[in-house]
Amino acid sequence: MAARTDLVTDPAVVEGLLLARRGQAYYSRALSRLSDADFDGPSLLAGWGRRHLIAHVGLNARALTRLVEWAATGVETPMYASATQRAEEIDFSATLPVQALRNLSDHAAIHLTVEWRDLPDEAWSREVRTAQGRTVPVSETVWMRTREVWIHAVDLDAGARFEDFPPELLDRILVDVTGSWARRREAEGLPRFVLEPTDRALHTVAGPHAAGLDAAGSITVRGSSAALARWATGRGSAGVTTADGEPAPAAPRWL
Ligand code: ZN
């Protein structure tokens, strides 16, 4: 029988689930502010209308649900059959009537949260594979959904802003992005960034501290945590500058 509360007891996962569900509520509120006619407008993501974005976020919940079911049953169910299948499904779903898109958004989100709720404590460390081919414990689906719903809420262009994000979310985004850059720095020749959030005591260095920071070879980018998170995730450089007060260079890609 299905439980009515989460089975997981790991405090980090419990906290993560809270942030994911707050994010889903935040995204759903932004979506509910859009009229049916607004669905045909552009999103803030280059090349994607709101319909594509809304379809993508709903289908992302379904894809993550498949990973949770994989962990629960041991039967391998990937997020997507292929990148082509993923793109085609988004294209198709974007053509659905508005009410069907709203239903996709709501139902997929509920299904995912129910799967999380009913996943036994011992199953949360089981490994699954993401669409990028990374092997991760299924608990990672919580953060994958968290960043998706909060940031795409902003992309809907319906009044959501990075400035509304909880501080712990902004910090986690900065750690995630700079970690991704650090892992790819050598292979892709990325510059080393030092992020200086003006509303935090600690600076975020995009690289391992142990390697020693070469101040001359790094680029300092300064701004509020919200502005830095917006910049680092590729959503514009409003509110960020270099240490000299110059415009910040474009951030490398995140994912
Ligand atoms: Zn996305």
Side-chain angles (χ1 to χ4, degrees):
M1 202 180 88
R4 290 179 190 200
T5 54
D6 293 323
L7 296 177
V8 68
T9 58
D10 180 336
V13 177
V14 170
E15 206 175 305
L17 283 169
L18 186 62
L19 196 56
R21 288 170 176 145
R22 280 172 70 189
Q24 181 64 53
Y26 186 71
Y27 174 85
S28 297
R29 271 200 306 281
L31 188 60
S32 71
R33 284 194 290 269
L34 295 175
S35 70
D36 287 6
D38 289 337
F39 272 52
D40 294 326
S43 80
L44 295 180
L45 288 178
W48 260 13
R50 286 198 180 108
R51 287 175 153 278
H52 271 82
L53 178 62
I54 294 161
H56 159 62
V57 174
L59 295 170
N60 167 268
R62 283 196 185 159
L64 292 174
T65 298
R66 284 192 279 276
L67 294 188
V68 182
E69 287 168 343
W70 175 352
T73 63
V75 178
E76 183 169 331
T77 42
M79 290 181 72
Y80 307 100
S82 68
T84 309
Q85 177 262 325
R86 172 181 178 276
E88 285 174 355
E89 195 178 19
I90 293 170
D91 283 344
F92 170 76
S93 301
T95 66
L96 290 170
V98 168
Q99 192 54 48
L101 273 171
R102 292 191 194 275
N103 290 343
L104 167 64
S105 179
D106 290 346
H107 295 170
I110 291 168
H111 192 180
L112 176 58
T113 205
V114 166
E115 288 295 326
W116 278 334
R117 185 194 66 189
D118 294 342
L119 192 66
D121 215 13
E122 68 276 9
W124 282 84
S125 57
R126 288 181 193 153
E127 290 188 330
V128 294
R129 202 173 50 253
T130 71
Q132 284 95 18
R134 285 189 307 137
T135 298
V136 297
V138 71
S139 56
E140 183 72 11
T141 58
V142 178
W143 172 244
M144 290 165 72
R145 185 62 180 170
T146 300
R147 64 189 185 197
E148 196 76 10
V149 282
W150 284 99
I151 295 174
H152 284 326
V154 175
D155 296 332
L156 278 178
D157 195 14
R161 309 174 314 148
F162 279 82
E163 280 74 8
D164 297 333
F165 289 9
E168 67 271 26
L169 172 65
L170 292 169
D171 292 348
R172 179 91 195 260
I173 290 171
L174 291 179
V175 168
D176 188 331
V177 177
T178 54
S180 169
W181 292 345
R183 281 192 300 277
R184 291 158 32 217
R185 180 180 302 118
E186 271 191 36
E188 299 183 23
L190 302 182
R192 186 190 301 271
F193 288 99
V194 178
L195 306 189
E196 290 191 358
T198 51
D199 49 356
R200 296 286 188 280
L202 287 176
H203 297 167
T204 307
V205 180
H209 295 261
L213 180 64
D214 173 9
S218 66
I219 300 171
T220 298
V221 182
R222 193 172 285 163
S224 67
S225 302
L228 286 173
R230 182 166 49 231
W231 168 80
T233 56
R235 282 153 172 91
S237 55
V240 299
T241 64
T242 65
D244 304 330
E246 299 291 322
R253 74 177 170 86
W254 171 19
L255 297 170

